[in-house]
Amino acid sequence: APAPTHDEMVSAILQLSESMSAYGIATATDMMLGRWNIEQELAAYAAAVRQGCKVRIRLYALWSKVFGSRGIGSERLREWNQE
């Protein structure tokens, strides 16, 4: 399957947050951050938060997507954490 677009990711996050919130769920976890593209996924989560995501989301990045040979590196991850 092709990777989702930025808008598709944001829409999915917002739709899921609406559904979870309706059931009283206040927190969710993404244990696979980086499956498609870690930078794009972080941007989608940030956009969803700005657009009113109704649940708090904890993100767990795939180790290789941060520290692997093609990873974004710990400094870039810290930058995202401050944005």
Side-chain angles (χ1 to χ4, degrees):
T5 67
H6 173 81
D7 290 340
E8 289 171 336
M9 285 190 275
V10 173
S11 178
I13 294 164
L14 291 172
Q15 287 175 16
L16 288 170
S17 79
E18 286 282 337
S19 179
M20 288 186 281
S21 178
Y23 284 101
I25 299 169
T27 305
T29 303
D30 181 345
M31 299 292 292
M32 294 285 293
L33 183 70
R35 178 177 179 213
W36 300 106
N37 178 302
I38 193 167
E39 294 265 3
Q40 291 173 358
E41 291 170 46
L42 286 167
Y45 277 111
V49 167
R50 286 191 301 274
Q51 293 178 36
C53 183
K54 296 198 180 232
V55 297
R56 181 181 178 144
I57 302 174
R58 293 189 175 267
L59 303 173
Y60 291 85
L62 294 171
W63 186 263
S64 64
K65 303 301 180 174
V66 177
F67 301 105
S69 61
R70 295 183 185 174
I72 63 170
S74 59
E75 284 301 315
R76 182 66 183 125
L77 193 60
R78 275 192 209 98
E79 290 171 14
W80 271 107
N81 197 32
Q82 295 173 2
E83 292 178 4

